[in-house]
Amino acid sequence: MASNIVTLAQIPTLTQLYRGRLLSPSQQPGSNSPSKALNDILSHIQYDITRLQVDGIVNAANQWLQGGGGVDGAIHHAAGSQLLAECRTLDGCNTGDAKITNGYNLPAAKVIHAVGPIYEERYHLTLERLLRSCYRRSLQLAVENNLRSVAFSAISTGVYGYPNLEAAQAVLDEVGKFLRKDDNASKFDRIIFCSFMPADVEAYQRFLPFYFPPMPEDIGNANTSPETKADNGW
Ligand code: APR
């Protein structure tokens, strides 16, 4: 159903969400200063990641890379059987790591298969390090493969049980650290946090403004011109 494929131009950036009053500044002062460069490349949407026409989508896979349920199942279903055939050549993937394949029948060119941790409260410090590693490794693979637009599913927050609020904070902190280092932000046109469950939507809407605060002109600007409104119904 090509009709529900979404292109990058249809996905608003944080700057556009702030200007369109679709994302509000954080009530808690954060430690990060506002960055136009970051707010112009970051996006958050609630959508089916298999419908995004971007350079790469990040799958929440398992260590066997044999497909499964959740977003893994949706991606394999949409990509077709060639995806599983290529996954079988990869000899699995360790938790906290990621591997890349082609996207086949997906609108996305590539799939980055990241393996998140299975959550257990008593090991949360170790598991947070593994979750952070999934995003860092996925971004490193994106840079190595010249993927300039990447969409992340919310790794580990489904079957693997990672609490949504804790996951969102770790993810946004880790992605921010990566982008603020080695001029990495200039290597991307867009990084999209693609939520699916309402709990993840709420977590990202709450913590995006904390880790990526708005530029003053994006919240004081009363003249929100039509193109800054996210007019694609998000
Ligand atoms: N598009 C975007 N996000 C989706 C989609 C979709 N079509 N379907 C599910 N999600 C979201 C879930 O709502 C959750 O927020 O992906 C996130 C990750 O959830 P899971 O897919 O359950 O993955 P995870 O929690 O990392 O568990 C991985 O589940 O499916 C198996 O093979 C997979 O064994 C692995 C385990």
Side-chain angles (χ1 to χ4, degrees):
M1 271 178 53
S3 58
N4 64 348
I5 288 178
V6 166
T7 64
L8 215 46
Q10 293 172 290
I11 302 173
T13 63
L14 291 193
T15 296
Q16 290 169 324
L17 291 175
Y18 284 129
R19 287 183 180 174
R21 303 293 186 272
L22 296 165
L23 188 63
S24 306
S26 176
Q27 301 301 319
Q28 303 156 283
S31 56
N32 295 324
S33 49
S35 162
K36 176 171 174 42
L38 294 183
N39 292 353
D40 283 349
I41 63 169
L42 292 173
S43 292
H44 173 233
I45 57 168
Q46 180 181 19
Y47 210 69
D48 175 356
I49 200 168
T50 70
R51 302 293 81 207
L52 301 185
Q53 193 168 61
V54 291
D55 291 348
I57 58 173
V58 182
N59 180 24
N62 58 48
Q63 58 189 359
W64 300 280
L65 298 184
Q66 296 296 306
V71 68
D72 197 8
I75 288 173
H76 275 272
H77 176 74
S81 59
Q82 290 174 287
L83 177 59
L84 184 57
E86 183 175 356
C87 283
R88 284 184 171 144
T89 69
L90 297 178
D91 191 27
C93 183
N94 293 325
T95 300
D97 199 0
K99 291 190 176 179
I100 192 167
T101 66
N102 289 312
Y104 301 104
N105 300 335
L106 287 163
K110 298 288 184 182
V111 182
I112 292 172
H113 305 266
V115 180
I118 299 173
Y119 192 75
E120 280 188 68
E121 167 61 34
R122 58 187 161 159
Y123 302 123
H124 71 96
L125 290 178
T126 303
L127 301 178
E128 179 178 324
R129 278 196 290 276
L130 287 168
L131 184 65
R132 286 172 176 266
S133 173
C134 284
Y135 284 78
R136 195 169 56 250
R137 282 290 301 129
S138 296
L139 290 170
Q140 287 165 351
L141 277 176
V143 169
E144 289 161 17
N145 290 272
N146 300 309
L147 308 184
R148 292 195 60 87
S149 56
V150 177
F152 282 94
S153 58
I155 298 167
S156 282
T157 68
V159 166
Y160 282 0
Y162 210 109
N164 308 86
L165 293 176
E166 286 83 344
Q169 291 173 82
V171 165
L172 294 176
D173 183 56
E174 192 64 27
V175 170
K177 284 189 167 71
F178 181 90
L179 292 176
R180 291 183 175 100
K181 205 171 59 177
D182 304 335
D183 197 26
N184 284 328
S186 68
K187 298 165 189 167
F188 291 93
D189 296 326
R190 199 73 71 84
I191 293 172
I192 300 156
F193 299 103
C194 183
S195 296
F196 198 67
M197 296 185 298
D200 287 309
V201 173
E202 286 152 32
Y204 278 82
Q205 284 179 339
R206 175 172 166 187
F207 289 111
L208 273 165
F210 179 78
Y211 289 96
F212 303 101
M215 298 296 288
E217 63 268 23
D218 292 338
I219 42 177
N221 173 1
N223 316 314
T224 41
S225 51
E227 64 272 19
T228 59
K229 281 259 185 227
D231 56 2
N232 37 51
W234 299 114

